[in-house]
Amino acid sequence: MADDLPLILVSNRGPVQFGLDDAGERTQQRGGGGLVTALSGLVRLLGEGVWIAAALTDEDVEVSREHGDKAFTITDQLDREYLIRMLEIEPDVQHKFYSIIANPLLWFIQHYLWDLSNVPDITGHERDAFEHGYVPVNEQFADVVAQEVEARGGRAVVMLHDYHFYLVPERVRERCPDVFLHHFVHVPWPQPDAWRTLPGWMRDPLIRGLLGNDVVAFHTERYARNFLLTCQELLDLRVDFGELTVRVGDRTVATRWYPISIDAEAFEALADSPEVRAVEKQLEQQRREFLILRVDRTDLSKNVLRGFKAFDTMLEDHPELAERVTFLALLVPSRQDVDEYIEYMDKVRRLAADVNLKHGTTDWQPIDLRFDDDFTQSMAAYKLFDALVVNPIFDGMNLVAKEGSLVNRRDGVLVLSEHAGVYEELGAFAISVHPFDIQDQADALYRALTMDPEERHARRNACARVVRENDLGKWLRMQLEDIERIRG
Amino acid sequence: MADDLPLILVSNRGPVQFGLDDAGERTQQRGGGGLVTALSGLVRLLGEGVWIAAALTDEDVEVSREHGDKAFTITDQLDREYLIRMLEIEPDVQHKFYSIIANPLLWFIQHYLWDLSNVPDITGHERDAFEHGYVPVNEQFADVVAQEVEARGGRAVVMLHDYHFYLVPERVRERCPDVFLHHFVHVPWPQPDAWRTLPGWMRDPLIRGLLGNDVVAFHTERYARNFLLTCQELLDLRVDFGELTVRVGDRTVATRWYPISIDAEAFEALADSPEVRAVEKQLEQQRREFLILRVDRTDLSKNVLRGFKAFDTMLEDHPELAERVTFLALLVPSRQDVDEYIEYMDKVRRLAADVNLKHGTTDWQPIDLRFDDDFTQSMAAYKLFDALVVNPIFDGMNLVAKEGSLVNRRDGVLVLSEHAGVYEELGAFAISVHPFDIQDQADALYRALTMDPEERHARRNACARVVRENDLGKWLRMQLEDIERIRG
């Protein structure tokens, strides 16, 4: 950091993941998920700092133990050397923390996904998962963060990430009053009534925990305002919607918003790689006149079902498109240890089958549904779409919209939900859709496929320009500048 | 009204309902539902005014036609004479208006009941129901209101009721600029994100329609604030949270809150009637040591399932209560033309059966589930409960809590959800429960049944006192006083 304060990064997934190859040799891979990629730009600022994450594989645990469960130096795939520390969490505790409380409980609340007349039930089971899962994992992380801060003389900038760690900041602040705590929440922050789904004994500590920070950051202004509303309404705290601050005792906590992005340059280079071009060629050979694309984790917030229903409606409304269009759905299976996700994938599969049975012919399968985690394939498909469907119910940001708009080669049109965080940046150049309005989405698909080439071109260019301008470097820079300003 | 302005009342259900008896003779009954009872107190103020409602039975339609579809004078069961006007609505239009848009679409949004990853889908079907159901019914009511206002020289106080008529005020104001429009919303007003479930083409006219009023009234301050938030966030209007007003063009719309109640005196007299005492005797003979009671429509917002789960948990935690307690659930079937309600009643039935199978014995059925609409029975049960369960997910007010607290004879304890509108008045004297926390509700039931008699007595007395003080007369008086003040 600027005046040589060490940086301490905290995220559930770390920058590397250890494993074993077929010969039993240890392997080191890049950590999965978009967040790790985004945070990777902070590595050059780590200096004497450390990146703290959970040990998620057996081999992560092994490596961590070899280093006495302390921090150790790694060399990453970009040949950068820095310290990481991996926390071993008991499997049972990890299950309670991750698969009961963080997902689905908190995730569902923050995306308005609970079917409230039926679920959730907060029973002894959930209470146990909170008290013996979420709380101890947060305590474990907080204590390690505090140790690392103390080892650096008690002063550091700590950047925490996401809904896994809401209790960490308050506990770190108690032990290390001089630390600067910055917490980025990558999911939407819903309005206070959504938090009423949780009883006070769980809800209040979560919000109070987060208020241990100096800055609580979100992707959009709306989430920042919702956070202030939550503090005002549920904890009766004094907030300032002009300054975007909340008063907690004698401290002032700032909320801020920074739309996350991608590394545009690296992404464009990757899109041009031989691997991607090879897959692109295959897809190009399979394609019909029009290609509609979606790329998503199989998350309930992504609204896959209504996307297929809209496609169904479009085919009904426009029989002339029969055999001329494919809806390629590249879905990465997600959280298959959570019942709701298993059921959802099942519904997606059944609906795709129904639509194909209804409209398909001997030679034409309208929806090409692929469940796998193949980034090269996604990248290749990004280059080829005529319409990219990003229709989430609610979504913190949604990077697919940015990725696809950037590398597409056919002036493909972005069909974008009003409720995605990215809408604030790209909405003006996309065709807006309302995520619950099937007819609206069907009309939007048709409009995208039949749009005049000049307009398509202008829109696509505008999207790509915004993505290049607001790229990942800017996202990090703005946060760091604000940290300097707020500390000063 | 005070300075002799005529009053025009508008509600979906009217004060009387016509039918035919076995001999084919016309009958006239009191209109059903708690709202009609509440509004009945306004009849003495009607003067030259009129009460406008929908013609809901075949005989209502017949009577209305006999009067050339104009207003006509009735004599009600209290021997009061006044004008009513009943609107005949095409059955197909009525279905679209009532059973697709008003219920479930708006009702579910206002109670946070949609399971968003699955429902609702806004398709051509819903668009048609809005455009050819909700809109024309609202236009029909608005035009009749305007006619009645014009027939009175263009000046009147119009009091509209509930979510059926959000489009009426704006249209009346256009035709009758000098009218005073007051609209009471009896359901919760949710936070703005809940309204995002509706596409703008439906959402914006609904809110703008409501802003045609001079006063928009709710049961609690929280709903009034949520309404202002909605205007601010979704329509970008200037609001004042101190004054509780919103600026619309050159007009100021006030929001207010008045907790509705019951006619305490009449209710206590009724509880003492021979009919009630006869049923009370029967129930008294059947009762075990402890009686837990709930009285509700079978609405998804009422949280019947979690109430039974809590009872199940209590029986598990306290086996000593076996055979000593009955949970009497008096449920009035509701909206059985809406799929979600049919499914819900089914779930309720199955769950009660499961709990009974699990805990019951030859001589003891733990849950006594009765589906019928028998007010005398409810009244008798009110007098006998030891614990009254009112645990809704969200509820505009909930009069069961007030009714039961008022007439109970055993110092029964109110177990009350934090999320019911009535919580603001009775929460301090009830045992509070969180509607999603099953263990909390189980503990609350146990606490209610085992509470020290003095504490029970003090709590019940306090509840009854509040109900007597804030009774229906006060509810009406406060609204009328505010109308005078705002007009002046």
Side-chain angles (χ1 to χ4, degrees):
Chain A
M1 302 293 301
D3 61 352
D4 289 334
L5 271 196
L7 175 62
I8 295 176
L9 262 182
V10 184
S11 62
N12 189 49
R13 290 179 190 222
V16 296
Q17 198 160 294
F18 297 98
L20 292 176
D21 65 15
D22 295 340
E25 293 294 310
R26 177 169 295 163
T27 60
Q28 178 185 314
Q29 285 192 308
R30 234 177 113 217
L35 180 56
V36 167
T37 314
L39 299 186
S40 170
L42 285 171
V43 159
R44 65 181 169 81
L45 301 175
L46 268 184
E48 299 302 305
V50 57
W51 188 332
I52 302 171
L56 293 172
T57 66
D58 291 345
E59 204 58 17
D60 285 352
V61 169
E62 206 47 54
V63 173
S64 178
R65 286 184 185 168
E66 285 169 17
H67 293 94
D69 296 320
K70 301 284 178 221
F72 57 93
T73 303
I74 57 156
T75 307
D76 73 5
Q77 68 285 354
L78 298 175
D79 228 25
R80 302 177 299 191
E81 278 197 358
Y82 54 95
L83 275 178
I84 67 170
R85 183 160 174 181
M86 286 181 152
L87 269 65
E88 180 179 348
I89 299 163
E90 290 287 322
D92 177 53
V93 174
Q94 168 72 17
H95 175 76
K96 291 172 177 176
F97 156 69
Y98 195 79
S99 301
I100 301 179
I101 302 300
N103 304 299
L105 192 50
L106 296 182
W107 177 274
F108 272 35
I109 283 174
Q110 298 205 234
H111 290 83
Y112 296 110
L113 288 171
W114 286 117
D115 173 17
L116 294 183
S117 73
N118 288 301
V119 277
D121 288 348
I122 311 291
T123 66
H125 180 68
E126 282 70 26
R127 183 158 201 145
D128 171 72
F130 186 68
E131 289 175 355
H132 302 107
Y134 196 87
V135 169
V137 168
N138 273 257
E139 287 176 352
Q140 199 180 337
F141 269 87
D143 292 346
V144 165
V145 169
Q147 259 178 37
E148 296 291 346
V149 172
E150 283 161 1
R152 287 161 180 81
R155 295 187 65 234
V157 170
V158 178
M159 295 181 87
L160 296 141
H161 286 271
D162 239 351
Y163 55 102
H164 311 83
F165 300 125
Y166 288 158
L167 303 178
V168 170
E170 187 181 29
R171 191 172 166 103
V172 171
R173 176 160 308 281
E174 275 165 22
R175 267 183 63 176
C176 310
D178 295 331
V179 80
F180 189 92
L181 285 155
H182 180 279
H183 201 131
F184 207 108
V185 177
H186 292 268
V187 288
W189 191 273
Q191 297 182 327
D193 276 348
W195 288 106
R196 292 184 196 272
T197 312
L198 293 182
W201 57 261
M202 196 188 304
R203 182 179 71 207
D204 293 351
L206 291 172
I207 305 170
R208 292 223 169 260
L210 204 41
L211 288 171
N213 286 293
D214 294 286
V215 178
V216 185
F218 302 93
H219 288 311
T220 72
E221 184 178 5
R222 198 196 287 170
Y223 306 149
R225 296 181 64 85
N226 286 347
F227 179 71
L228 294 180
L229 265 182
T230 304
C231 295
Q232 182 182 50
E233 195 176 309
L234 299 180
L235 295 182
D236 208 17
L237 294 174
R238 195 147 50 83
V239 301
D240 183 327
F241 286 99
E243 297 288 323
L244 291 179
T245 54
V246 48
R247 197 77 190 147
V248 189
D250 57 355
R251 294 171 49 242
T252 298
V253 179
T255 63
R256 288 291 182 272
W257 49 285
Y258 313 96
I260 199 170
S261 196
I262 56 175
D263 181 339
E265 207 173 311
F267 208 83
E268 290 187 282
L270 202 59
D272 221 26
S273 69
E275 295 79 16
V276 170
R277 274 193 278 163
V279 181
E280 189 185 347
K281 212 165 181 179
Q282 285 170 23
L283 289 177
E284 189 70 273
Q285 280 158 2
Q286 296 164 350
R287 70 169 292 142
R288 303 270 162 156
E289 184 181 345
F290 300 115
L291 182 68
I292 297 173
L293 176 69
R294 77 174 304 139
V295 178
D296 279 306
R297 282 186 308 103
T298 56
D299 194 280
L300 284 75
S301 66
K302 300 297 183 182
N303 212 16
V304 180
L305 297 172
R306 291 194 186 83
F308 287 168
K309 288 178 188 171
F311 182 58
D312 176 16
T313 302
M314 185 194 75
L315 292 176
E316 270 176 27
D317 292 349
H318 300 282
E320 73 277 12
L321 286 176
E323 310 219 342
R324 290 168 58 200
V325 56
T326 303
F327 191 147
L328 178 62
L330 304 179
L331 301 182
V332 182
S334 182
R335 298 176 190 160
Q336 291 296 299
D337 54 338
V338 177
D339 286 345
E340 283 84 351
Y341 285 82
I342 298 171
E343 282 166 31
Y344 191 70
M345 232 171 101
D346 229 58
K347 280 187 196 162
V348 164
R349 198 181 278 118
R350 284 203 312 267
L351 179 59
D354 287 347
V355 173
N356 284 344
L357 193 65
K358 177 173 167 191
H359 295 282
T361 61
T362 316
D363 300 322
W364 176 55
Q365 175 157 273
I367 298 177
D368 184 350
L369 175 60
R370 306 188 186 181
F371 288 115
D372 45 38
D373 187 359
D374 181 345
F375 188 66
T376 309
Q377 179 178 246
S378 303
M379 190 69 103
Y382 281 156
K383 295 167 77 176
L384 297 176
F385 70 78
D386 298 292
L388 177 65
V389 177
V390 179
N391 68 331
I393 291 173
F394 286 98
D395 204 336
M397 169 51 67
N398 194 299
L399 291 179
V400 166
K402 294 192 172 183
E403 294 169 353
S405 300
L406 184 69
V407 302
N408 180 265
R409 301 284 191 259
R410 292 175 59 91
D411 289 337
V413 179
L414 176 62
V415 173
L416 183 62
S417 165
E418 299 171 11
H419 298 179
V422 69
Y423 190 81
E424 291 188 8
E425 287 169 277
L426 298 185
F429 313 113
I431 300 186
S432 305
V433 290
H434 186 272
F436 302 104
D437 190 335
I438 309 279
Q439 186 66 53
D440 181 42
Q441 290 170 57
D443 296 345
L445 285 177
Y446 182 74
R447 202 179 141 209
L449 299 185
T450 55
M451 187 180 277
D452 152 283
E454 251 174 72
E455 189 182 345
R456 290 168 64 117
H457 183 69
R459 283 171 182 260
R460 216 283 299 179
N461 266 1
C463 284
R465 197 186 57 237
V466 171
V467 176
R468 279 187 205 105
E469 274 172 15
N470 300 347
D471 93 336
L472 194 58
K474 185 169 166 192
W475 179 69
L476 288 174
R477 205 163 51 243
M478 287 177 62
Q479 291 178 68
L480 297 171
E481 283 172 11
D482 268 1
I483 290 176
E484 287 308 310
R485 200 172 303 133
I486 292 167
R487 284 181 51 215
Chain B
M1 301 292 302
D3 61 352
D4 288 334
L5 271 196
L7 175 63
I8 296 175
L9 262 182
V10 185
S11 63
N12 188 50
R13 291 182 189 220
V16 296
Q17 199 161 295
F18 297 99
L20 292 176
D21 66 14
D22 295 341
E25 293 294 310
R26 178 168 294 162
T27 60
Q28 177 186 316
Q29 286 192 305
R30 238 177 110 217
L35 180 55
V36 167
T37 314
L39 299 186
S40 170
L42 286 171
V43 159
R44 66 182 169 81
L45 300 174
L46 267 183
E48 300 302 303
V50 56
W51 187 333
I52 302 170
L56 292 173
T57 66
D58 291 346
E59 204 58 16
D60 285 352
V61 170
E62 207 46 55
V63 173
S64 178
R65 286 184 188 169
E66 285 168 16
H67 294 95
D69 295 320
K70 301 285 179 222
F72 57 94
T73 303
I74 57 158
T75 307
D76 73 6
Q77 68 286 353
L78 298 177
D79 227 26
R80 301 176 300 190
E81 277 198 0
Y82 52 97
L83 277 178
I84 67 167
R85 184 162 174 178
M86 287 182 150
L87 269 64
E88 180 180 349
I89 299 162
E90 290 287 322
D92 177 53
V93 173
Q94 168 73 16
H95 174 77
K96 290 172 178 174
F97 156 69
Y98 195 80
S99 301
I100 301 179
I101 302 300
N103 305 298
L105 191 51
L106 297 182
W107 177 275
F108 272 36
I109 283 174
Q110 299 204 231
H111 290 84
Y112 295 110
L113 288 171
W114 285 117
D115 172 17
L116 295 182
S117 72
N118 288 302
V119 278
D121 287 348
I122 311 291
T123 67
H125 181 68
E126 282 71 25
R127 183 157 200 144
D128 171 70
F130 187 69
E131 289 176 356
H132 302 108
Y134 195 87
V135 171
V137 168
N138 272 258
E139 287 175 351
Q140 199 180 336
F141 269 87
D143 292 346
V144 165
V145 169
Q147 261 177 34
E148 297 290 348
V149 172
E150 283 162 2
R152 287 160 179 81
R155 295 186 67 232
V157 171
V158 178
M159 295 182 86
L160 297 142
H161 285 272
D162 238 351
Y163 57 101
H164 311 84
F165 300 125
Y166 288 158
L167 303 178
V168 170
E170 188 181 29
R171 191 173 167 103
V172 172
R173 177 161 306 281
E174 275 166 22
R175 267 181 66 176
C176 310
D178 295 330
V179 81
F180 188 92
L181 286 155
H182 180 278
H183 201 131
F184 206 108
V185 177
H186 293 267
V187 288
W189 192 272
Q191 297 182 327
D193 275 350
W195 288 106
R196 292 185 196 273
T197 313
L198 294 181
W201 58 260
M202 195 187 307
R203 181 179 71 207
D204 293 351
L206 291 172
I207 306 170
R208 292 222 169 261
L210 204 41
L211 288 171
N213 286 293
D214 294 285
V215 177
V216 185
F218 303 91
H219 289 311
T220 71
E221 184 178 5
R222 198 197 284 171
Y223 306 149
R225 296 180 65 85
N226 286 347
F227 180 71
L228 295 179
L229 264 182
T230 304
C231 295
Q232 181 183 51
E233 194 176 311
L234 299 180
L235 295 181
D236 208 16
L237 294 174
R238 195 147 50 83
V239 301
D240 183 326
F241 286 99
E243 297 289 323
L244 291 179
T245 55
V246 48
R247 196 78 191 147
V248 189
D250 57 356
R251 295 171 47 242
T252 297
V253 179
T255 63
R256 288 291 181 273
W257 49 286
Y258 313 97
I260 200 170
S261 196
I262 56 176
D263 181 340
E265 209 172 310
F267 209 83
E268 289 186 282
L270 203 58
D272 222 25
S273 69
E275 295 79 17
V276 170
R277 274 192 277 164
V279 181
E280 190 185 346
K281 212 165 180 180
Q282 283 171 24
L283 289 177
E284 190 69 272
Q285 280 159 0
Q286 296 164 349
R287 69 168 295 143
R288 304 270 162 158
E289 183 180 348
F290 299 115
L291 182 67
I292 297 173
L293 175 69
R294 77 175 305 142
V295 177
D296 279 305
R297 282 187 308 105
T298 55
D299 194 281
L300 284 75
S301 66
K302 300 297 184 182
N303 212 17
V304 181
L305 298 172
R306 291 194 186 83
F308 288 168
K309 288 178 189 171
F311 182 58
D312 176 16
T313 302
M314 186 196 72
L315 292 176
E316 270 175 28
D317 292 350
H318 300 283
E320 73 278 13
L321 287 176
E323 310 218 343
R324 292 168 56 200
V325 56
T326 302
F327 191 147
L328 177 62
L330 303 180
L331 301 182
V332 182
S334 181
R335 299 179 189 154
Q336 292 296 300
D337 53 337
V338 177
D339 287 345
E340 283 84 352
Y341 285 81
I342 299 171
E343 281 165 32
Y344 190 69
M345 233 173 100
D346 229 58
K347 279 187 197 162
V348 165
R349 198 182 279 118
R350 282 204 314 268
L351 179 58
D354 287 348
V355 173
N356 283 344
L357 192 66
K358 178 173 166 191
H359 295 282
T361 60
T362 315
D363 299 321
W364 176 55
Q365 176 158 272
I367 298 178
D368 184 350
L369 176 60
R370 305 188 187 180
F371 289 117
D372 44 39
D373 187 358
D374 181 345
F375 189 66
T376 308
Q377 178 177 246
S378 304
M379 191 68 103
Y382 282 156
K383 295 167 78 177
L384 297 176
F385 69 79
D386 298 291
L388 177 65
V389 177
V390 178
N391 68 332
I393 290 172
F394 287 98
D395 204 336
M397 169 50 66
N398 196 298
L399 291 179
V400 166
K402 294 192 173 184
E403 294 170 352
S405 299
L406 184 68
V407 302
N408 180 267
R409 301 282 189 262
R410 292 175 57 92
D411 289 336
V413 180
L414 176 61
V415 173
L416 184 61
S417 164
E418 299 172 10
H419 298 179
V422 68
Y423 190 81
E424 292 188 7
E425 286 169 277
L426 298 186
F429 314 112
I431 300 186
S432 305
V433 290
H434 185 271
F436 302 105
D437 191 333
I438 310 278
Q439 185 67 53
D440 181 42
Q441 290 170 57
D443 296 345
L445 286 177
Y446 183 74
R447 203 179 139 208
L449 299 186
T450 55
M451 187 180 278
D452 151 281
E454 251 174 74
E455 189 181 347
R456 288 169 66 118
H457 183 69
R459 284 173 181 257
R460 215 283 300 180
N461 267 2
C463 284
R465 199 186 55 237
V466 171
V467 175
R468 279 190 206 104
E469 275 172 15
N470 302 345
D471 93 336
L472 195 57
K474 184 169 168 194
W475 179 69
L476 289 173
R477 205 163 53 244
M478 287 177 63
Q479 291 179 67
L480 297 172
E481 284 172 10
D482 268 1
I483 290 176
E484 287 310 308
R485 200 171 303 132
I486 292 168
R487 283 179 53 214

